Amino acid sequence: MTFRTRIAVLASGRGSNLQCLLDGIAAGQLDADIVGVFSDKPTAAALDKVPPERRWARTPREFGSRDAFDTALADAVAASMPDWIVCAGYMRILGAGFVQRFAGRLVNIHPSLLPRHKGLHTHARAIEAGDAEHGASVHFVVPELDAGTVIAQARVPVLPGDDADTLAARVLAVEHPLLLATVRLLVAGRVAEQDGWVRLDGQSLFNPLRLDSAGNLQS
Ligand code: GRF
């Protein structure tokens, strides 16, 4: 009986990144199980992508405080006994207590080339800043927002005439292969966070891995 790597996913919306992990599993490209989808939005479409017994969603305002919600979320995530926790379109800031509880096995995909454009509205901000390139980053989560060490990135050009929607679509198209390729490395046990560095096969990564046009990660 082989035990496949257990992945918990946090999502707040449509779950296209979750879907790409599910597709990767179905295609035999990811030797893992999505053991739970956890959301702060009971209506999130992401929840519909897994069976009911693997869904957990609560409305934060049902809880007396942000910490109370985060604790309930953390308890639910812990109960699924995940090896990795992937934030994929999760739109609430995770409190320090949650982050510490899962430190070292908590990653997030963020639609910018971190450390540029932490936070929200990254596509509009990249255009406003006149960036020639934009993209997505998969990083370890630390208490400071979008500040954890970056494991891998995918780059896209910002084109003349782009608006936030056209740029967001171009970025989303590379987020999916980026997330799948990065989670494959996590599941293979090849990536760890140590002393604020990402290590790949034991070697510190001084620059994020880069997704190539074939969907592979290059160091
Ligand atoms: C994506 O751009 C992701 O980078 C961001 O949320 C957006 C929605 O992702 N965090 P999904 O389609 O819900 O996976």
Side-chain angles (χ1 to χ4, degrees), residues 6 14 25 28 31-32 41 96 148 154 183 191 195 213:
R6 300 170 66 86
R14 84 205 129 184
I25 291 169
D31 188 20
K41 296 265 188 305
V183 173
V191 169
D195 315 320
S213 52

Side-chain angles (χ1 to χ4, degrees), residues 49 75 103 139 150:
K49 297 177 181 298
D75 289 348
H139 63 96
V150 179

Side-chain angles (χ1 to χ4, degrees), residues 48-143:
D48 299 335
K49 297 177 181 298
V50 293
E53 64 273 12
R54 293 193 176 194
R55 299 172 194 158
W56 184 94
R58 295 290 186 283
T59 303
R61 68 172 170 276
E62 288 170 15
F63 294 79
S65 69
R66 173 176 284 275
D67 281 354
F69 172 77
D70 267 10
T71 301
L73 173 65
D75 289 348
V77 169
S80 73
M81 296 185 289
D83 298 297
W84 291 96
I85 299 100
V86 177
C87 300
Y90 186 69
M91 301 312 279
R92 264 174 78 84
I93 293 175
L94 290 166
F98 185 100
V99 173
Q100 252 100 43
R101 187 159 168 184
F102 301 108
R105 53 195 176 115
L106 178 57
V107 298
N108 179 48
I109 184 162
H110 176 77
S112 84
L113 295 175
L114 292 172
R116 286 181 71 79
H117 307 314
K118 298 174 182 176
L120 297 174
H121 313 303
T122 66
H123 313 299
R125 288 161 54 201
I127 293 168
E128 277 153 35
D131 294 353
E133 280 194 318
H134 189 39
S137 304
V138 179
H139 63 96
F140 281 102
V141 175
V142 295

